[in-house]
Amino acid sequence: MHLLFTYGTLRQSEVQRAVFGVDIAGEADAAVGHRLGEVVIEDPHVVEISGSAIHPALIPDDSPGAEVEGIVLTLTADQLAQADDYEVDAYHRVEILLRSGRSAWVYTLG
């Protein structure tokens, strides 16, 4: 199993159903040392699934108190691959430490 921290569209039930085929319950957590930015999505399939051409983007930030709230999904290897397919090339997947002390994958700007 793989932990994936999501702070954007993968928290939405309709996106989860389109990407994974099911809703996946998540646990609240936060990415410390980060802030939110935005990225313009040009992939029409991703825009159709998410309902928006503007998606949030996780950006490192060493300001005191910088953190981004989100949820942690527990995914199978196949589901993680499906998430990789959904995310556009502007993002890349890295592992970070969360407020809870857990380590999880997350998509950040590449």
Side-chain angles (χ1 to χ4, degrees):
M1 299 307 269
H2 301 274
L3 298 181
L4 176 67
F5 177 76
T6 180
Y7 52 89
T9 60
L10 280 173
R11 294 184 296 177
Q12 300 170 359
S13 291
E14 60 275 12
V15 173
Q16 288 184 6
R17 286 190 301 271
V19 173
F20 306 121
V22 297
D23 284 318
I24 299 174
E27 299 174 50
D29 214 328
V32 295
H34 292 83
R35 65 180 168 84
L36 280 182
E38 293 182 338
V39 63
V40 176
I41 304 299
E42 297 179 5
D43 183 318
H45 179 68
V46 173
V47 172
E48 180 182 346
I49 291 171
S50 69
S52 177
I54 306 295
H55 286 208
L58 198 65
I59 299 170
D61 185 337
D62 60 3
S63 301
E67 67 178 32
V68 174
E69 298 286 332
I71 61 171
V72 177
L73 305 175
T74 302
L75 304 178
T76 65
D78 286 343
Q79 289 169 327
L80 186 59
Q82 291 167 330
D84 286 345
D85 288 343
Y86 168 73
E87 296 295 350
V88 298
D89 290 343
Y91 294 102
H92 68 280
R93 180 165 46 92
V94 299
E95 201 165 10
I96 63 168
L97 190 63
L98 302 173
R99 180 173 58 202
S100 65
R102 296 184 291 181
S103 180
W105 293 111
V106 67
Y107 296 100
T108 65
L109 290 182

